[in-house]
Amino acid sequence: MKIFEKLALLQLDKSLKPFYALLSYQPSEGWIKTIRHSLQMSTHILAKRLKVTQPTIVDLESREFKKTVTLKKMEEAAEALGCRFVYAFVPETSFLSFIDGQEKQKAERLVQQIQQTMSLEDQALQNEQLKEQLELIHQHIKSEPLKNLWKEIDAI
């Protein structure tokens, strides 16, 4: 991975850091219903604010819970509740950790292919040799442009 690719990932990780707290808290009833209850706002009042019917609000809360609500509806509901709807992908770990894991997996697959071919030729490598090859291939993959990581092994 080139230095500018790494810097871009570090910057993205840094900008997403405030969202990590949300990973551990997801309201069991969904955001709309939780905030509406916290504000002690009835479905009837929220319906008036959104210019829809009360059953539409019940349906909206149900669709959010089922994860079938649209982003547009979430944004409209958030605004009616005095909030801003924020949509983001938050990585499970840092992007650099994710990339490193992908690089290691790709290196392992390559070493397995090499080992299989060599075994067929009765030239199988010993554990220590396999570890050395794995490390060498991993370092090679790390030195390539990031876009190459996503190419299939067969294309290499």
Side-chain angles (χ1 to χ4, degrees):
M1 176 181 348
K2 304 300 181 200
I3 187 69
F4 293 113
E5 294 169 337
K6 188 172 187 175
L7 288 172
L9 287 172
L10 285 169
Q11 183 63 31
L12 185 57
D13 276 335
K14 185 178 177 182
S15 65
L16 290 173
K17 196 168 190 155
F19 293 96
Y20 279 97
L22 292 174
L23 291 177
S24 61
Y25 178 71
Q26 290 293 313
S28 60
E29 297 180 313
W31 286 103
I32 298 170
K33 193 171 194 175
T34 299
I35 292 171
R36 184 178 59 73
H37 280 170
S38 296
L39 295 172
Q40 297 184 12
M41 184 185 292
S42 68
T43 54
H44 177 75
I45 297 298
L46 182 55
K48 284 180 87 170
R49 294 175 66 90
L50 284 170
K51 297 179 176 80
V52 296
T53 64
Q54 185 271 340
T56 300
I57 297 302
V58 173
D59 181 59
L60 176 65
E61 290 176 348
S62 173
R63 286 187 291 125
E64 180 195 0
F65 182 77
K66 294 176 191 171
K67 298 181 179 176
T68 59
V69 68
T70 65
L71 297 178
K72 182 171 177 42
K73 290 295 181 190
M74 288 297 289
E75 188 173 25
E76 291 169 357
E79 187 177 320
L81 293 166
C83 299
R84 283 187 57 197
F85 177 67
V86 179
Y87 177 76
F89 289 127
V90 182
E92 296 289 332
T93 62
S94 73
F95 282 114
L96 290 178
S97 295
F98 172 69
I99 296 295
D100 189 59
Q102 295 297 305
E103 290 167 341
K104 285 178 181 173
Q105 284 180 13
K106 187 170 186 174
E108 288 168 2
R109 289 192 308 267
L110 282 167
V111 168
Q112 285 173 358
Q113 283 185 355
I114 292 167
Q115 178 69 346
Q116 185 177 16
T117 301
M118 292 182 80
S119 292
L120 292 172
E121 296 171 0
D122 203 24
Q123 299 174 1
L125 298 174
Q126 301 305 313
N127 281 344
E128 201 56 40
Q129 293 170 312
L130 283 171
K131 286 180 187 176
E132 287 174 12
Q133 276 203 350
L134 182 61
E135 184 55 32
L136 284 171
I137 291 172
H138 184 214
Q139 291 307 315
H140 172 72
I141 291 169
K142 289 175 89 60
S143 70
E144 292 184 328
L146 187 55
K147 67 180 180 181
N148 291 355
L149 177 61
W150 312 112
K151 292 180 181 176
E152 293 298 318
I153 291 174
D154 295 336
I156 295 174

